Amino acid sequence: MTCEVALSLTVNGATRNVSVTPWTTLLDLLREDLDLTGTKKGCDHGQCGACTVLVDGKRINSCLALAVTRPDAQVVTIEGFADGDMLHPVQAAFLQHDAFQCGYCTPGQICSAVGLIAEGHAHSREEVTELMSGNLCRCGAYSNIADAILQVIDEEAQA
Ligand code: FES
Ligand code: FES
């Protein structure tokens, strides 16, 4: 008999009632049960950042979070950022600055960037680079990623 636990999460603004095994990660719940495959599985060990999502407004590696430990979480994935055809400013900046090549790391980079900007601790290229260091990019798009994030930080400072 499989032991499952009922959870009621809010994912991208919608209530999702699910039943998961205690060892199901948030990443697997999103990808396998909710078909939100924008969130990527890279290392599955907390070392690459490809699985980054926002939980209660904070960026986390969803491969390290057991879903049962977040029973009432507000989760935002890459699928939750755009408003119809209107991209989130960070998404638009990534496009403008060509901040990706293969795109595999990009959903995690964008989620992490949104979390980083909300934290308010990054004001320079060095700080952006340091605070985004948990998100690896095998294509080496780091410079363009930093350009995109810095643009949004500047835009928000001027707003
Ligand atoms: Fe989660 Fe790599 S897949 S950190
Ligand atoms: Fe290819 Fe980052 S764009 S891994």
Side-chain angles (χ1 to χ4, degrees):
M1 186 178 87
T2 304
C3 162
E4 295 205 334
V5 179
L7 303 176
S8 182
L9 307 170
T10 302
V11 182
N12 299 332
T15 301
R16 306 298 295 260
N17 297 308
V18 295
S19 193
V20 298
T21 59
W23 52 88
T24 300
T25 64
L26 179 59
L27 174 61
D28 285 340
L29 169 63
L30 292 169
R31 288 183 56 84
E32 309 297 334
D33 296 300
L34 301 181
D35 290 328
L36 293 169
T37 54
T39 305
K40 302 304 184 204
K41 182 180 283 190
C43 64
D44 210 17
H45 285 84
Q47 297 184 345
C48 74
C51 64
T52 305
V53 298
L54 299 177
V55 173
D56 299 330
K58 298 192 176 358
R59 51 185 175 151
I60 69 160
N61 289 333
S62 60
C63 71
L64 293 183
L66 293 175
V68 292
T69 66
R70 314 277 176 161
D72 306 309
Q74 305 262 346
V75 182
V76 180
T77 70
I78 191 66
E79 291 91 346
F81 285 118
D83 182 6
D85 292 336
M86 179 84 73
L87 293 178
H88 186 283
V90 174
Q91 291 176 306
F94 267 61
L95 274 178
Q96 183 180 340
H97 289 276
D98 208 14
F100 47 83
Q101 290 184 33
C102 76
Y104 196 83
C105 73
T106 309
Q109 300 278 3
I110 289 173
C111 286
S112 192
V114 172
L116 168 86
I117 293 166
E119 290 158 17
H121 302 311
H123 306 288
S124 65
R125 177 173 295 275
E126 291 70 28
E127 287 169 344
V128 167
T129 300
E130 172 65 25
L131 294 170
M132 288 293 293
S133 62
N135 289 83
L136 305 184
C137 175
R138 293 183 62 170
C139 299
Y142 295 111
S143 177
N144 296 26
I145 291 168
D147 287 345
I149 296 170
L150 284 163
Q151 175 178 303
V152 178
I153 290 171
D154 284 348
E155 287 170 353
E156 290 203 355
Q158 290 167 18

